[in-house]
């Protein structure tokens, strides 16, 4: 947004990572952090309504929920859980390297995050494709012949796709965000190399995405017999 | 007096934010919170007009017991359009995105909001939502009411529910962006010396509003998304036919939409605190109580949503609890009203246009708030639910409260925004017309609602005795329309021909009055340092003036 910079150019020097509206980098970083946390609170409420819906449905149809969940592959998803946890570790290490201004380290760790992202989305794709083949995607082609009531099974899969899908979108956004971040580090953009805060904020976002999955995994894949 | 040597030219007046670039791009790509506020001002005014036209159609239709010109279907679409446009596209953004955007950085002594690009994005998202809304109208509209109740909205309605949901979803995110921006700005960008308890109450109110926006809006976003999912894929979530739970929808909807009424009223309360103190020339009485009552409203407001569902089938015991907490939430609102009144008491009251709006607000909000208590008592609500009594209640708070506050604020800060003053007599006249028109429109609705006129009906030929009330109401709405249209004319006129005014035409306290009118792009030429308490009007002086005036009155009356 060149216009914003131009608008302020006469009145305030604009270079480096400091934006014109802040006094110093500390103030800017603190404002970023507050803003990011406010955003994450918003995200919690966003997913929260879905978790509430899930809770009520499962409470209402405990047996059907149990039977329907047998169609899901807990091993594949378990691997993905491990994969995401690993990526969170990479992200944390990436932030640490950014604080130490260790560009090589950042590129390495963030590369790891990107890789995990891709693996996660790949596995998710396989899972979704299998559901599609087995006619377990809600809609006109839905066909279920298990022990659960077919209508409730469709509700189960509806929520499954809604919640993991929304989470998947967040992972895809993470892929884009970390991709851009990685490129900025690669091309030595001062916005990221001089100030660790952008990297830190991406990390915060990523831990949140990870955390959502930590709840989703047991709720969908590990339902005990009621 | 002029001691400046002739050789040394006076420092050139800094360019104001209005003069800093004249191209369209300099407006549409701006990061300046003041310009974005102006963009918002124009857009919300347009939506106010659209919503107002729909209101006019509703009132015309109800003139005759058999209806005048609308079919059932088109009537449903018109009142839905009215509700959605007014709530999502006017009342929610009006004060925060226009006045809040313009004033919060000025009031905290910052150069801009913390995230200027996010601020601009919020306007674009709002406009995208608005465009979708217009497309919905062109494609034939939507007929679910602004409440989108399932299963009608998800399974049966043949209108543009999907697109409308998308529009509401986007509008929600535009206000979330604004909320995040305000929170970060108020927390981290206050000028040196500006402690929390030196912040104007306008800022406190916007802080509380932002908290509600961030906690509530995502819930409605996801809920509407689920309605869309249910509609498209026919998965049971909210529709009993498919195994879903319609009460769950209502819980989620009102979990947002009750707090949303505070998103609409809290900023207006912030405006009123500023006006009352500026035109009584006294600090707001019980500043801390007023500040904390905003937070109390934000907190308690999240615990009362069930009062919209007394007759929906929720448990009776739940109803009792919701009813009691609803009584509680009226307490912080009352604290504000009492404290404003105490501020005026013995103040040197000046009845300029903004003050007339502010006094109107207090009276109308009082009625609106008190009738809220009738509705939150379960026994009375069973009779009053879904009648015009409810319609009157929420118009008293939203139109009598929020729009009065908005207009008062616009009149108060207009000289700050554009450096020119409107003709005060016209302003006063419009304020009085609005007040009269408003009461004429909505007071009869209390009565006719109590007598049993249901809301959202487009005829009442079985009860022709309701007609006089409807005629009064329709008449009042035309008066109200005139009252709203007048400011459009004289405010636009004043942009070119209004008298130029100094930086602080009202002699008000607050950082925003210490910079030039209109302010330069960076708001302040040097970082302001705050050493004064908030609202430094001299209470003693005001009291002296008051006594002096009392003496004069006694002299005159003997
Ligand atoms: C003093 C605190 C308030 C209380 C106790 C209160 C109580 C209530 C109750 C119980 C209802 C439900 C009536 C029914 O449907 O049977 C209601 C409806 C409503 N109230 Fe309030 N209210 C208060 C303040 C406000 C404020 C400040 C606003 C807006 C700025 C507002 C806006 C509304 C709206 C829009 C509805 C109708 C929603 C609908 O069904 O479409 N209220 N109020
Ligand atoms: Cu309510």
């Amino acid at each position: 947004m060149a216009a914003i910079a131009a608008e302020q150019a006469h009145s305030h020097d604009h270079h480096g990572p400091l934006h014109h509206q802040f006094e110093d980098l500390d103030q800017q970083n603190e404002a970023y952090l507050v803003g990011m946390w406010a955003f994450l609170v918003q995200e919690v409420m966003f997913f929260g309504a879905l978790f509430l819906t899930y809770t009520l449905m499962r409470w209402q149809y405990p047996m059907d929920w149990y039977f329907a969940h047998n169609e899901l592959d807990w091993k594949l998803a378990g691997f993905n859980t491990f994969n995401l946890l690993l990526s969170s570790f990479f992200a944390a290490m990436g932030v640490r390297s950014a604080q130490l201004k260790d560009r090589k380290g950042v590129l390495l760790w963030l590369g790891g995050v990107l890789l995990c992202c891709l693996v996660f989305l790949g596995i998710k794709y396989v899972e979704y494709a299998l559901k599609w083949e087995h006619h377990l995607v809600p809609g006109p082609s839905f066909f279920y012949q298990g022990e659960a009531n077919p209508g409730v099974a469709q509700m189960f899969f509806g929520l499954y796709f809604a919640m993991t899908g929304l989470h998947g979108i967040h992972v895809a956004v993470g892929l884009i965000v970390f991709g851009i971040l990685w490129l900025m580090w690669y091309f030595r953009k001062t916005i990221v190399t001089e100030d660790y805060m952008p990297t830190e904020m991406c990390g915060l976002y990523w831990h949140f995405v990870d955390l959502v999955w930590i709840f989703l995994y047991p709720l969908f894949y590990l339902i005990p017999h009621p | 007096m002029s001691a400046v040597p002739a050789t040394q030219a006076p420092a050139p007046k800094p360019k104001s934010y209005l003069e800093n670039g004249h191209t369209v791009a300099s407006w549409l790509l701006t990061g300046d919170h003041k310009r974005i506020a102006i963009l918002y001002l124009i857009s919300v005014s347009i939506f106010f007009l659209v919503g107002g036209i729909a209101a006019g159609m509703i009132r015309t239709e109800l003139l005759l017991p058999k209806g005048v010109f609308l079919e059932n279907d088109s009537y449903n679409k018109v009142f839905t359009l009215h509700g959605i446009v007014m709530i999502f596209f006017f009342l929610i953004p009006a004060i925060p995105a226009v006045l809040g955007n313009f004033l919060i950085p000025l009031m905290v002594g910052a150069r801009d909001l913390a995230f200027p690009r996010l601020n601009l994005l919020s306007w674009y998202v709002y406009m995208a939502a608005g465009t979708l809304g217009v497309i919905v109208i062109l494609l034939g509209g939507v007929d679910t009411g602004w409440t989108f109740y399932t299963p009608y909205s998800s399974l049966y309605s043949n209108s543009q529910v999907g697109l409308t949901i998308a529009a509401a979803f986007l509008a929600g995110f535009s206000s979330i962006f604004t909320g995040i921006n305000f929170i970060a700005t108020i927390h981290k960008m206050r000028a040196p010396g500006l402690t929390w308890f030196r912040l104007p109450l306008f800022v406190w109110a916007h802080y509380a509003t932002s908290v509600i926006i961030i906690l509530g809006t995502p819930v409605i976003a996801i809920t509407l998304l689920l309605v869309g999912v249910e509609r498209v894929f026919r998965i049971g979530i909210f529709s009993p036919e498919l195994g879903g739970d319609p009460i769950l929808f209502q819980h989620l909807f009102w979990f947002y939409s009750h707090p949303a009424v505070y998103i609409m009223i809290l900023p207006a309360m912030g405006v009123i605190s500023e006006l009352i103190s500026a035109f009584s020339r006294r600090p707001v009485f019980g500043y801390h109580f007023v500040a904390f009552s905003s937070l109390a409203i934000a907190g308690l407001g999240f615990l009362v949503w069930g009062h919209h569902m007394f007759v929906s089938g929720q448990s009776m015991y739940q109803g009792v609890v919701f009813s009691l907490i609803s009584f509680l939430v009226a307490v912080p609102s009352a604290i504000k009203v009492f404290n404003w009144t105490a501020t005026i008491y013995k103040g040197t009251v000046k009845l300029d246009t903004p003050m007339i709006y502010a006094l109107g607000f207090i009276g109308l909000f009082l009625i609106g708030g008190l009738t809220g208590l009738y509705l939150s008592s379960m026994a009375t609500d069973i009779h009053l639910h879904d009648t015009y009594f409810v319609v009157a209640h929420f118009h008293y708070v939203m139109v009598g409260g929020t729009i009065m506050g908005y207009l008062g604020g616009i009149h108060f800060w207009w000289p700050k925004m554009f450096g020119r003053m409107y003709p005060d007599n016209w302003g006063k006249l419009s304020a009085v017309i609005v007040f009269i028109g408003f009461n004429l429109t909505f007071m009869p609705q209390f009565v006719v609602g109590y007598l049993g006129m249901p809301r959202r009906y487009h005829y009442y030929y079985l009860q022709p005795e309701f007609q006089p009330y409807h005629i009064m109401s329709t008449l009042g709405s035309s008066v109200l329309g005139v009252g709203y249209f007048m400011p459009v004319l004289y405010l636009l006129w004043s942009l070119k021909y209004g008298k130029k005014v100094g930086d602080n035409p009202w002699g008000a306290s607050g950082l925003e009055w210490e910079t030039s009118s209109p302010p330069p792009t960076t708001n302040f030429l040097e970082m302001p340092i705050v050493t004064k308490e908030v609202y430094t009007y001299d209470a003693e002086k005001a009291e002296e003036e008051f006594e002096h005036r009392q003496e004069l009155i006694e002299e005159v009356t003997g």
Side-chain angles (χ1 to χ4, degrees), chain B residues 130-418:
Chain B
T131 313
L132 272 183
V134 173
I135 293 176
V136 167
I137 300 173
L138 295 180
L139 291 180
V142 61
D143 64 353
T144 59
W146 82 280
T147 45
F148 298 105
Y149 268 24
T150 55
Y152 182 70
S153 62
S154 58
L155 294 186
Y156 298 107
S157 169
N158 285 323
S159 56
Q160 300 296 333
V161 181
L163 276 181
T164 315
I165 283 176
F169 186 89
L170 284 179
F173 273 90
S174 119
S175 59
I176 290 175
F177 293 158
T178 305
I180 291 178
N181 232 330
F182 285 175
I183 288 187
T185 307
I186 297 171
H187 264 284
K188 291 297 169 195
M189 297 179 73
R190 283 170 284 125
L194 191 55
T195 58
W196 279 92
F197 292 115
R198 284 178 177 173
L199 285 175
L201 290 165
F202 181 89
V203 177
W204 274 94
H206 276 78
Y207 185 79
T209 308
S210 308
V211 171
I212 304 180
I213 289 178
I214 284 179
L215 291 176
T217 315
V219 175
I220 192 74
I222 202 74
T223 307
L224 292 179
L225 209 64
L226 285 178
V227 172
V229 167
E230 181 167 274
R231 199 175 155 84
V232 175
F233 298 103
R234 308 250 142 189
I235 315 164
I237 298 170
F238 298 135
S239 295
E241 294 89 328
L242 302 174
D245 184 352
I247 307 286
L248 173 63
F249 171 81
Q250 296 183 21
H251 277 300
L252 289 174
F253 181 83
W254 291 113
F255 177 82
Y256 163 75
S257 291
H258 182 82
V261 309
Y262 294 113
I263 296 178
M264 300 182 239
I265 198 73
L266 272 172
M269 292 169 156
V271 171
I272 299 304
S273 296
E274 301 300 309
L275 302 190
I276 294 286
S277 120
F279 292 97
S280 311
R281 315 222 65 78
R282 295 185 77 214
V284 173
F285 181 84
Y287 169 91
H288 289 79
F289 281 89
V290 181
F292 280 119
S293 67
S294 289
L295 294 185
I297 286 178
L300 285 173
F302 273 105
L303 305 175
V304 302
W305 75 87
H307 65 211
H308 295 271
M309 301 166 57
F310 287 148
V311 298
S312 73
Q314 76 180 3
S315 133
M316 187 179 72
Y317 302 104
Q318 219 173 334
V320 173
V321 174
F322 278 125
S323 173
L324 286 176
I325 307 179
S326 303
F327 294 163
L328 271 188
V329 81
V331 173
S333 311
I335 289 180
K336 285 183 192 279
V337 172
F338 285 129
N339 285 7
W340 291 325
T341 327
T343 309
I344 300 172
Y345 179 65
K346 287 202 171 177
T348 324
V349 176
K350 276 179 66 215
L351 286 180
D352 290 320
T353 310
M355 184 61 167
I356 299 186
Y357 276 110
L359 293 176
F361 173 102
I362 296 185
L364 301 182
F365 176 74
L366 189 72
I367 299 178
L370 285 180
T371 49
L373 292 178
Y374 294 40
L375 295 171
S376 36
S377 320
M378 280 206 283
T380 36
D381 187 60
I382 287 171
H383 175 62
L384 296 173
H385 179 67
D386 269 350
T387 67
Y388 263 79
F389 192 93
V390 178
V391 177
H393 154 70
F394 65 72
H395 281 88
Y396 262 81
V397 264
M398 302 207 294
V399 183
T402 308
I403 300 186
M404 290 296 255
Y406 174 68
L407 287 177
I410 291 282
H411 281 88
F412 185 54
W413 283 292
W414 190 260
K416 178 52 62 185
M417 293 164 106
F418 298 104

Side-chain angles (χ1 to χ4, degrees), chain B residues 89-101:
Chain B
F89 293 103
F90 178 70
L91 286 165
I92 289 181
I95 299 184
V98 179
L99 294 173
N101 231 339

